[in-house]
Amino acid sequence: DSGVTQTPKHLITATGQRVTLRCSPRSGDLSVYWYQQSLDQGLQFLIQYYNGEERAKGNILERFSAQQFPDLHSELNLSSLELGDSALYFCASSVRGGRDTEAFFGQGTRLTVV
Amino acid sequence: GQSLEQPSEVTAVEGAIVQINCTYQTSGFYGLSWYQQHDGGAPTFLSYNALDGLEETGRFSSFLSRSDSYGYLLLQELQMKDSASYFCAVRDGGDDKIIFGKGTRLHILP
């Protein structure tokens, strides 16, 4: 158990809908990262938050947004969903100043858009 | 920008040794990490190299050459449970994002 919790584990929704994925980082971790992994694809970096502030942005679509709350949990909002958004979405957390690039991943949310 | 290149697939025999290579280009380099991901599972951290040389952790070792922008993960005494995808990763020099290679799927034959 990495200590990172993601909910829900599975989500099936229709095209055009909006969903929210939730992530609770490990206790004490200030950084939260979101990644998208499509079938047989690598981990595509979406966005990173550090202590409530957006820290870095990747190739995140305008239909996607995220935030990190004062209690450090994070939510990823996906709207106007398309079939191509079907993927595994991972959240990871790390301690800034800890061992570099050691991040702890949640079990992911598998999103299926039908 | 950053890019990491690694082979898409590698096949090896149970009990043998396999090496997975990774070359990288980054705007600022701190170190190279390796992650393992089993099908349907979450990536898990394996190792980190900040300095040149070989780091050994049990059956797994990781090597870095900063001058060559190159590293590798060495897996010894392969077991069937090592069948997984392996990703190299770097932290971007300009901000804190962690960038992953596309991953190498390791197939192990009995």
Side-chain angles (χ1 to χ4, degrees), chain A residues 13 25 45 63 83 99 104:
Chain A
T13 189
F45 172 74
R63 300 183 286 109
L83 295 178
R99 194 196 275 179
F104 297 84

Side-chain angles (χ1 to χ4, degrees), chain A residues 69-112:
Chain A
F69 295 86
D71 66 353
L72 300 179
H73 92 270
S74 179
E75 294 181 355
L76 179 67
N77 301 296
L78 315 176
S79 62
S80 303
L81 284 167
E82 303 175 358
L83 295 178
D85 298 327
S86 296
L88 201 48
Y89 291 84
F90 285 106
C91 162
S93 73
S94 73
V95 178
R96 185 153 190 231
R99 194 196 275 179
D100 208 64
T101 66
E102 180 171 12
F104 297 84
F105 281 76
Q107 289 303 307
T109 293
R110 184 170 295 282
L111 173 66
T112 303

Side-chain angles (χ1 to χ4, degrees), chain A residues 32-52:
Chain A
V32 169
Y33 310 80
W34 286 98
Y35 291 87
Q36 179 193 57
Q37 187 174 42
S38 303
L39 194 63
D40 291 333
Q41 294 295 307
L43 293 155
Q44 297 295 317
F45 172 74
L46 295 177
I47 198 162
Q48 181 209 351
Y49 281 84
Y50 174 75
N51 202 21

Side-chain angles (χ1 to χ4, degrees), chain B residues 80-99:
Chain B
M80 297 305 292
K81 68 178 182 179
D82 298 328
S83 295
S85 291
Y86 293 84
F87 295 87
C88 55
V90 296
R91 189 182 291 277
D92 182 84
D95 52 38
D96 279 343
K97 63 177 179 274
I98 303 173
I99 303 300

